Amino acid sequence: MESYILKNVESDKSILLYQEKKGYTFSPKNGCYRVKKITVLNDSMVECILKDKVISRYNRLLQVIYDLIASGDETTSGDVLITFTEIDRLKNILLNKYYKYLKKEFVENYIRKLQILETELKKIHVMELQSEIEEQEERGMSR
């Protein structure tokens, strides 16, 4: 049996059915003007919501890294640094915030994928630094 917390704002009476249970709380997007927070108590629903969030953020990271690879010589160290911070942020979110809601195998799988992305990004960064060094050598020292 599911437990819900209901409160009627328009009348003075409150209908409360409260059971101490941990849930995932979030605020909806801009379309809802009357709803400030939503708390999901069903474990399978929480898991589905968080899996979708993790997968969408991971796909965005893949797209950014693909764009960095495709741009070739136009990549700057700032772009690579931003991508490193996004990878680190997603790792921290998975390990600290979502770990208690998601299955261990799912978290470990995505941590492994993020580590692979990080090594690929390091290769891009090394190639970029080598090209910058070659450009400086071509210019030579001017006085």
Side-chain angles (χ1 to χ4, degrees), residues 18-114:
Y18 186 74
Q19 181 182 12
E20 191 68 35
K21 192 172 183 183
K22 289 186 178 180
Y24 178 69
T25 303
F26 62 95
S27 57
K29 293 189 177 185
N30 297 340
C32 301
Y33 62 92
R34 293 184 75 172
V35 178
K36 302 291 184 206
K37 281 186 177 178
I38 296 175
T39 302
V40 180
L41 299 174
N42 191 349
D43 294 335
S44 61
M45 284 181 68
V46 171
E47 188 176 354
C48 287
I49 290 169
L50 295 180
K51 276 185 180 180
D52 287 342
K53 281 186 175 187
V54 169
I55 290 170
S56 67
R57 287 190 78 170
Y58 179 76
N59 288 336
R60 271 189 271 149
L61 269 173
L62 280 178
Q63 186 62 39
V64 168
I65 291 174
Y66 178 75
D67 291 342
L68 285 175
I69 292 171
S71 65
D73 295 334
E74 299 171 4
T75 58
T76 62
S77 59
D79 297 337
V80 175
L81 182 63
I82 290 171
T83 311
F84 269 126
T85 27
E86 287 299 318
I87 289 173
D88 190 44
R89 184 178 295 149
L90 187 56
K91 275 185 190 177
N92 288 335
I93 287 173
L94 274 172
L95 291 175
N96 298 328
K97 192 174 179 184
Y98 295 165
Y99 192 74
K100 57 186 169 186
Y101 299 113
L102 294 173
K103 291 182 181 174
K104 186 177 179 181
E105 298 86 23
F106 180 82
V107 173
E108 288 175 354
N109 187 18
Y110 270 89
I111 293 295
R112 212 172 309 118
K113 286 181 179 183
L114 289 171

